């Protein structure tokens, strides 16, 4: 629906953005060619904007045993379980780009067990979905299963932290009715116009 609101809460006028948030948003716009709506909607609460993106960077851009694509797989699979349209669409686009695979995000969102991914990645998503849906049941056997697939305990922490962080993100995106940018739908599917 053209011109549909991107949030049920007010989206601040760019003139009202604090300087650090303005700089962050302009940097993202320069890199992506547009401003993802998550930046615009979270600017409604500057302190939470800062905390959210600081933790996002700490989880999603760090070095470790998970690739950037695998981190995005976790987001897409768990966001689908949480019925978060924004995160499935936005992170699905990022997943398609990282993995250079136009089909993968849809496969992971619908049923990772049938997706064209490795057994290791399926084990990772099995653990993530258990964290997502029944974290109280996580036990030694779950860590042992991850170790059998080459994951360290620190990797398990990363899988759980990404799942938990995006659980918060999914719930807030749903509550505020955050709309995915139209640009996300074609990213990684259609060659960039140059």
């Amino acid at each position: 629906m053209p011109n549909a609101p991107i949030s049920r809460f007010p989206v601040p006028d760019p003139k009202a953005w604090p300087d650090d948030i303005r700089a962050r948003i302009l940097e993202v716009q320069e890199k992506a060619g547009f401003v993802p709506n998550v930046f615009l909607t979270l600017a409604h609460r500057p302190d939470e904007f800062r905390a959210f993106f600081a933790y996002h960077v700490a989880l999603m851009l760090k070095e470790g045993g998970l690739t950037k694509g695998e981190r995005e797989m976790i987001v897409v699979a768990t966001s689908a379980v949480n019925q978060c349209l924004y995160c499935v669409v936005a992170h699905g686009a990022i997943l398609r780009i990282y993995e250079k695979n136009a089909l993968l995000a849809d496969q992971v969102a619908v049923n990772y067990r049938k997706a064209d991914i490795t057994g290791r990645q399926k084990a990772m998503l099995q653990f993530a979905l258990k964290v997502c849906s029944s974290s109280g049941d996580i036990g030694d056997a779950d860590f042992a299963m991850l170790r059998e697939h080459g994951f360290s305990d620190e990797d398990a922490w990363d899988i759980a932290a990404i799942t938990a962080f995006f659980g918060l993100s999914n719930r807030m995106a749903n509550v505020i009715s955050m709309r995915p940018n139209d640009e996300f739908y074609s990213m990684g599917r259609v060659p960039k116009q140059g």
Side-chain angles (χ1 to χ4, degrees):
M1 176 186 326
N3 299 320
I6 64 169
S7 174
R8 71 174 62 247
F9 284 83
V11 176
D13 185 286
K15 294 180 199 120
W17 294 339
D19 291 342
D20 63 319
I21 290 176
R22 178 178 296 103
R24 179 74 186 269
I25 291 173
L26 292 175
E27 177 186 338
V28 168
Q29 182 178 29
E30 174 75 21
K31 184 176 180 183
F34 66 99
V35 179
N37 289 340
V38 67
F39 289 88
L40 300 175
T41 60
L42 291 184
H44 174 65
R45 297 235 180 149
D47 288 342
E48 292 171 40
F49 177 106
R50 293 177 187 102
F52 180 91
F53 287 109
Y55 198 39
H56 181 277
V57 167
L59 289 174
M60 301 302 286
L61 301 179
K62 68 180 280 195
E63 296 295 320
L66 306 177
T67 67
K68 288 181 180 179
E70 288 170 339
R71 291 170 194 276
E72 295 297 336
M73 285 180 204
I74 295 165
V75 178
V76 171
T78 60
S79 295
V81 169
N82 292 327
Q83 299 180 354
C84 181
L85 178 65
Y86 185 90
C87 289
V88 169
V89 171
H91 291 273
I94 298 166
L95 174 56
R96 288 190 298 272
I97 290 167
Y98 282 159
E99 295 296 315
K100 297 175 181 41
N101 183 334
L103 308 179
L104 188 58
D106 297 327
Q107 293 174 349
V108 168
V110 173
N111 184 350
Y112 78 90
R113 291 172 196 86
K114 305 288 184 190
D116 296 326
I117 58 177
T118 67
R120 177 181 187 274
Q121 291 165 335
K122 288 177 183 176
M124 172 190 76
L125 294 180
Q126 178 183 330
F127 182 79
L129 289 177
K130 190 168 183 180
V131 171
C132 179
S133 300
S134 54
S135 61
D137 294 333
I138 296 288
D140 291 342
D142 300 295
F143 282 84
M145 181 268 300
L146 286 177
R147 285 186 207 108
E148 287 171 13
H149 286 88
F151 291 103
S152 69
D153 286 354
E154 292 300 316
D155 296 332
W157 180 297
D158 286 342
I159 296 165
I162 292 165
T163 301
F165 176 73
F166 279 93
L168 174 142
S169 179
N170 298 160
R171 285 159 179 79
M172 289 307 298
N174 281 333
V175 167
I176 70 173
S177 297
M178 188 169 23
R179 181 178 170 83
N181 300 67
D182 292 345
E183 292 89 343
F184 285 128
Y185 289 94
S186 60
M187 288 172 59
R189 295 186 203 274
V190 183
K192 269 187 171 179
Q193 301 299 316

